[in-house]
Amino acid sequence: MRHSPEHADDDHDVERLDERFRELVVHLAPRVPLPPVAGIHKAVRRRRLRNRALIGAASLVLITGGATLVGIESDDGPPPHREAAASQPPVSPVNTTLAPVLSDALYPSVQEFPVVAGVYENWRVTETRQALTESLGPCATQTISGLGAVEAQERVFNHAGQGGGLVVLVRYPDEHTAELAATDFTGGMAGSCPTNQPNPAADGRPRIEALDRSGDAWRTQGVINGDLDQYVDFGIVRNGPVVAVVRETVIDPPKAPPTDPFLRLVDSLRDRLGKNGSGP
């Protein structure tokens, strides 16, 4: 306080002391630890800056197709939530390998083949192998591999005369493809079939006849070596994705063989496919 002249010097000293104290405070303030509250606020600001940087990085990962980071661990909110990024499911190969289902139970036995004296006798199995043929019949336009068959195998039969038999089993990837193959077979038999041998009259026209009303069995008649008659009977049945074709051939028989025994063979093949299933 300055109440009298005698205290003037004291007041001046006090002012100088105050000024120096303020300078000291300004100089030492940054070195003094902050009070607890101020330290907490500063830590919170640092975390927020860090979280903004992490969110920016997570957005970059999302754009490039990585994992989507929906929430970031933070002291300012609820626990984070993470979920898988939206991505394309793995593509399976087109030709997926499936377990084999074509078994011996689907093949007719030799006893089921027709026995006609002088025509079909003493049937026997020669071999069972992967199918060597590429078509189900002489008039088909679609190939087995072209339709993407999963399995294709055949069993070769022989008899005492000239000719033999063949049963082809084909499993397609689905029922629709199997139906397409069967329709291609029967449609070719019912329509134009330029690959068939000409008939014995040598007029150049194929001779094909349906053996029953169902359209599942057919007979072709042609000529071998220009003078030997050849009869080939075909039967086709389907169960789900599996198609079976049976073929019976005889060359130069004394007369045209009967058809009823072959139709019974086709019925037997149909029953086998029905009883033993057609696989997945």
Side-chain angles (χ1 to χ4, degrees):
M1 295 180 63
R2 289 178 289 180
H3 298 289
S4 61
E6 59 269 17
H7 293 107
D9 292 338
D10 294 340
D11 291 340
H12 181 67
D13 292 338
V14 170
E15 289 178 359
R16 291 180 62 187
L17 183 60
D18 288 343
E19 183 178 351
R20 292 195 175 187
F21 180 75
R22 284 194 297 270
E23 291 176 356
L24 181 62
V25 170
V26 172
H27 178 70
L28 296 177
R31 304 181 184 182
V32 177
L34 294 175
V37 175
I40 292 173
H41 286 305
K42 189 172 183 180
V44 169
R45 284 194 297 272
R46 283 199 304 266
R47 290 193 184 99
R48 287 176 178 172
L49 290 175
R50 181 195 63 191
N51 291 343
R52 291 193 188 100
L54 290 175
I55 291 173
S59 301
L60 180 61
V61 172
L62 174 60
I63 292 172
T64 57
T68 303
L69 191 56
V70 177
I72 302 297
E73 184 176 356
S74 172
D75 297 332
D76 301 329
H81 171 66
R82 300 173 189 267
E83 64 181 21
S87 59
Q88 294 294 331
V91 179
S92 301
V94 175
N95 294 326
T96 302
T97 302
L98 300 177
V101 298
L102 303 181
S103 65
D104 286 347
L106 299 179
Y107 288 104
S109 66
V110 292
Q111 289 78 19
E112 295 173 80
F113 276 78
V115 176
V116 179
V119 180
Y120 304 118
E121 293 180 288
N122 301 319
W123 285 97
R124 61 192 183 278
V125 174
T126 301
E127 63 176 322
T128 302
R129 63 197 181 193
Q130 183 176 352
L132 302 181
T133 180
E134 263 294 323
S135 82
L136 294 177
C139 306
T141 62
Q142 300 283 349
T143 62
I144 292 175
S145 60
L147 290 171
V150 178
E151 286 183 90
Q153 64 183 37
E154 61 190 19
R155 178 164 291 179
V156 183
F157 298 80
N158 260 329
H159 57 75
Q162 298 185 76
L166 183 70
V167 176
V168 181
L169 300 177
V170 183
R171 180 162 64 113
Y172 292 96
D174 51 62
E175 185 171 348
H176 173 73
T177 308
E179 184 177 7
L180 177 62
T183 301
D184 177 58
F185 173 91
T186 56
M189 287 292 192
S192 175
C193 185
T195 62
N196 191 50
Q197 295 285 342
N199 65 26
D203 57 10
R205 292 179 300 174
R207 183 171 178 178
I208 304 175
E209 60 176 324
L211 299 185
D212 65 350
R213 294 182 179 180
S214 68
D216 295 336
W218 302 81
R219 167 169 286 182
T220 68
Q221 182 181 357
V223 176
I224 298 294
N225 296 329
D227 60 352
L228 299 178
D229 288 342
Q230 173 182 256
Y231 295 87
V232 185
D233 296 338
F234 291 91
I236 184 169
V237 295
R238 181 182 67 84
N239 184 11
V242 175
V243 174
V245 173
V246 56
R247 185 178 75 198
E248 184 181 80
T249 304
V250 63
I251 298 174
D252 197 28
K255 60 180 181 179
T259 60
D260 287 345
F262 180 74
L263 292 177
R264 289 194 292 269
L265 175 61
V266 175
D267 288 340
S268 172
L269 187 59
R270 182 182 295 106
D271 291 342
R272 283 178 173 274
L273 259 66
K275 292 177 181 178
N276 295 285
S278 56

